Amino acid sequence: MQLQMDATELSAFLAAEFPQVAHDFRIIDVAPMRVSVALRVQDHHLRPGGTVSGPSMFALADVSIYLAVLAMIGPQGLAVTTNCAIDFMRKPAAGADLICVARLLKLGRVLAVGDALIHSEGLSDPVARAGITYSIPPKPMI
Amino acid sequence: MQLQMDATELSAFLAAEFPQVAHDFRIIDVAPMRVSVALRVQDHHLRPGGTVSGPSMFALADVSIYLAVLAMIGPQGLAVTTNCAIDFMRKPAAGADLICVARLLKLGRVLAVGDALIHSEGLSDPVARAGITYSIPPKPMI
Amino acid sequence: MQLQMDATELSAFLAAEFPQVAHDFRIIDVAPMRVSVALRVQDHHLRPGGTVSGPSMFALADVSIYLAVLAMIGPQGLAVTTNCAIDFMRKPAAGADLICVARLLKLGRVLAVGDALIHSEGLSDPVARAGITYSIPPKPMI
Amino acid sequence: MQLQMDATELSAFLAAEFPQVAHDFRIIDVAPMRVSVALRVQDHHLRPGGTVSGPSMFALADVSIYLAVLAMIGPQGLAVTTNCAIDFMRKPAAGADLICVARLLKLGRVLAVGDALIHSEGLSDPVARAGITYSIPPKPMI
């Protein structure tokens, strides 16, 4: 399978469809069944002590898998997360962006399943890992 | 076991320790091993179409279990989420707050496990369900 | 919605379609969106020390949600588990059967989501909790 | 960190401590923070149609992470699974063993977290993926 959208197209889609959060994310790399996305850590992502909040890491994993799906199927805003299992393993490094490497393990007709591994930029130990399922809406029959 | 903190004390703790997000949540009810918490839905929680975002629902489930733990063990800021599995089942109703009913199924020495059921205020169908594990730091030996 | 299959019909279906494992389970109660099922604990379910194995508890949660789905949609052998998140919270009591109370939180056209709470017979503390998603095959168009 | 147990020692430990199931598994490879284990598929693992059952895949993922932990910390029978999130993505190939590649993402003092990817021998598409947490008992203070 080949890419339906590249990094530039995915960034434009995100900015158009999700203007509230698009600026939080930077798409680093897009390949078939695989994307890398950074969370540009800002004050509203932080908890006391300067560590990135759980919901912010969840959001990063979720958007990364979403982008990996869109890269393969094209700009369909209606794919929705049905399930996420996330393990928080280490405290993110203070003052560093978070990098998520997400890959699709299954891209079916109705369900896509991926996993996401998050680490602090510049460090190799993973801070969180997630498995995420997206439900893909049926294509309209024209 | 009896409550170490009531709704007023939990609200004050949240406001003091998590000032960025405390105003998003309203503690409705606290009982042994059980809390109800509302997410006051605001613009920054919404996705296009007016539906509450996944990360916002995750945050609601997470803070609810956290408050259920604190209610039982007292104000210990250091409990951390180690795992969350969440199912998104329905689109939340537009214009309604979300209500989370959280209960602790286990409150051990090092791990607490709870589940959380979220519904739109005024509707009974659940929009999301989560199982969450918290790691509880050892008590300092004085 | 009303029941398409009662406890007797579900037991007969299990015996016919899953003869290898049907004798491990006893259906206690069936209601709309809800079933109770017992695992008749036998030697092959045990780990050293006489405790029921994790895979056996997984199997109990999985079959319970499956039966809850079948009770609502009728005898369709093709529903498949797509996801399970399970927390193991306590050691089951030795020499006691396990009871699973399973309820459906969503019964959609393509996905069903349920949760399952397992306890040792005669004790109230839960030993395990699971959230499970089933994919429901499309009905053949005749 | 270096290995405390190699494949031969892990196999012997499994045979001694879990005689009921040890013959189901074949340890293929052991490296720091990583093991590969095969499920020797037999009749009692199968569902109608010749496909491997969900609980059997769960058992394979669970034992693989367990062995990865033991390889690092030595023969401690008391580590227990506290959580597993598993996605079932494809039907395993009939007549083929299942191979699980498991790696530890965190090996802490009290919790170990790993993920496991299962495929049918000879095929590359994953049939299941799991994230698993083990609780590690404190070392006795002598």
Side-chain angles (χ1 to χ4, degrees):
Chain A
M1 281 186 290
Q2 67 176 69
L3 288 176
Q4 302 295 315
M5 299 176 82
D6 63 18
T8 306
E9 292 166 314
L10 288 171
S11 294
F13 179 86
L14 212 55
E17 299 288 325
F18 299 93
Q20 310 98 314
V21 295
H23 58 282
D24 287 1
F25 303 108
R26 176 169 47 92
I27 301 173
I28 299 171
D29 190 51
V30 180
M33 306 289 273
R34 192 175 199 101
V35 302
S36 302
V37 179
L39 177 72
R40 303 185 218 258
V41 174
Q42 298 162 66
D43 275 0
H44 68 273
H45 299 121
L46 300 180
R47 285 283 185 272
T51 191
V52 177
S53 75
S56 299
M57 287 190 264
F58 172 87
L60 173 59
D62 190 36
V63 82
S64 298
I65 297 291
Y66 182 61
L67 293 171
V69 171
L70 293 190
M72 300 303 294
I73 68 172
Q76 302 188 19
L78 294 173
V80 293
T81 312
T82 59
N83 175 268
C84 174
I86 187 165
D87 293 299
F88 299 101
M89 296 181 286
R90 291 174 185 84
K91 211 182 264 234
D97 282 353
L98 290 181
I99 310 292
C100 179
V101 177
R103 60 181 172 157
L104 296 185
L105 299 171
K106 173 181 175 166
L107 180 57
R109 205 173 38 81
V110 296
L111 292 180
V113 182
D115 68 9
L117 201 57
I118 297 177
H119 60 94
S120 293
E121 190 158 30
L123 296 174
S124 62
D125 280 342
V127 299
R129 188 205 64 78
I132 293 179
T133 301
Y134 263 83
S135 172
I136 301 171
K139 288 208 178 148
M141 287 173 297
I142 306 175
Chain B
M1 282 187 288
Q2 66 176 67
L3 288 177
Q4 302 294 316
M5 299 176 82
D6 64 17
T8 305
E9 292 166 315
L10 289 171
S11 295
F13 179 87
L14 213 55
E17 299 288 326
F18 299 93
Q20 310 98 314
V21 296
H23 58 281
D24 287 0
F25 303 107
R26 176 169 47 92
I27 300 174
I28 300 171
D29 190 51
V30 180
M33 306 289 273
R34 192 176 199 99
V35 303
S36 302
V37 179
L39 176 72
R40 301 186 220 256
V41 175
Q42 297 161 65
D43 276 359
H44 67 273
H45 298 121
L46 300 180
R47 286 281 186 273
T51 191
V52 177
S53 75
S56 300
M57 287 190 265
F58 172 87
L60 173 59
D62 190 36
V63 82
S64 298
I65 298 291
Y66 182 62
L67 292 171
V69 171
L70 293 190
M72 300 303 293
I73 69 173
Q76 303 188 18
L78 295 173
V80 293
T81 312
T82 59
N83 175 268
C84 174
I86 187 165
D87 294 298
F88 299 102
M89 295 181 286
R90 291 175 184 83
K91 211 183 263 235
D97 282 353
L98 290 182
I99 310 291
C100 179
V101 178
R103 60 180 172 158
L104 296 184
L105 298 171
K106 173 182 176 164
L107 180 58
R109 205 172 38 79
V110 295
L111 292 180
V113 182
D115 68 9
L117 202 56
I118 296 176
H119 60 93
S120 294
E121 190 158 31
L123 296 174
S124 62
D125 281 341
V127 299
R129 189 205 63 79
I132 292 179
T133 301
Y134 264 84
S135 172
I136 301 171
K139 287 205 180 153
M141 288 173 296
I142 308 175
Chain C
M1 280 186 290
Q2 67 176 68
L3 288 176
Q4 302 295 316
M5 299 176 81
D6 63 17
T8 306
E9 292 166 315
L10 288 171
S11 295
F13 179 86
L14 212 56
E17 299 288 326
F18 299 93
Q20 310 98 313
V21 295
H23 58 282
D24 288 1
F25 302 107
R26 176 170 47 93
I27 299 172
I28 299 171
D29 191 49
V30 180
M33 306 289 274
R34 192 175 199 99
V35 303
S36 302
V37 178
L39 176 72
R40 302 185 219 256
V41 174
Q42 298 161 65
D43 275 0
H44 68 273
H45 299 121
L46 300 181
R47 286 283 184 272
T51 192
V52 177
S53 75
S56 300
M57 286 190 265
F58 172 87
L60 173 59
D62 189 37
V63 82
S64 297
I65 297 291
Y66 182 61
L67 292 171
V69 171
L70 293 190
M72 299 304 293
I73 69 172
Q76 302 188 18
L78 294 174
V80 292
T81 311
T82 59
N83 175 267
C84 175
I86 187 164
D87 293 300
F88 299 101
M89 295 181 286
R90 291 176 184 83
K91 211 182 263 235
D97 282 352
L98 289 182
I99 310 292
C100 179
V101 178
R103 61 180 171 157
L104 296 184
L105 298 171
K106 174 182 175 166
L107 180 58
R109 205 173 39 81
V110 295
L111 292 179
V113 181
D115 68 9
L117 202 56
I118 297 177
H119 59 94
S120 294
E121 190 158 31
L123 296 173
S124 62
D125 280 342
V127 299
R129 189 205 63 78
I132 293 179
T133 301
Y134 263 83
S135 172
I136 301 172
K139 287 206 179 152
M141 288 174 296
I142 307 174
Chain D
M1 280 186 289
Q2 67 176 69
L3 288 176
Q4 301 296 316
M5 299 176 81
D6 63 17
T8 305
E9 292 166 314
L10 289 171
S11 294
F13 179 86
L14 213 55
E17 299 288 325
F18 299 93
Q20 310 96 314
V21 296
H23 58 280
D24 287 1
F25 303 108
R26 176 169 47 92
I27 300 173
I28 299 172
D29 190 49
V30 179
M33 305 290 272
R34 192 177 198 99
V35 303
S36 301
V37 179
L39 176 71
R40 302 185 219 258
V41 174
Q42 298 162 64
D43 275 359
H44 68 274
H45 299 122
L46 300 180
R47 285 284 185 272
T51 191
V52 177
S53 75
S56 299
M57 287 189 265
F58 171 88
L60 173 60
D62 190 37
V63 82
S64 298
I65 298 291
Y66 182 62
L67 293 170
V69 171
L70 293 190
M72 299 303 293
I73 68 172
Q76 302 188 21
L78 293 174
V80 292
T81 311
T82 59
N83 175 268
C84 175
I86 187 165
D87 293 299
F88 299 101
M89 295 181 286
R90 291 174 185 84
K91 210 182 264 234
D97 282 352
L98 289 181
I99 310 292
C100 179
V101 177
R103 60 180 171 157
L104 296 185
L105 299 171
K106 173 183 176 164
L107 180 58
R109 205 173 38 80
V110 296
L111 291 180
V113 181
D115 68 9
L117 202 57
I118 297 177
H119 61 93
S120 293
E121 191 159 30
L123 295 173
S124 62
D125 280 342
V127 300
R129 188 205 65 78
I132 293 180
T133 301
Y134 263 83
S135 172
I136 301 171
K139 286 204 179 154
M141 288 174 296
I142 307 174

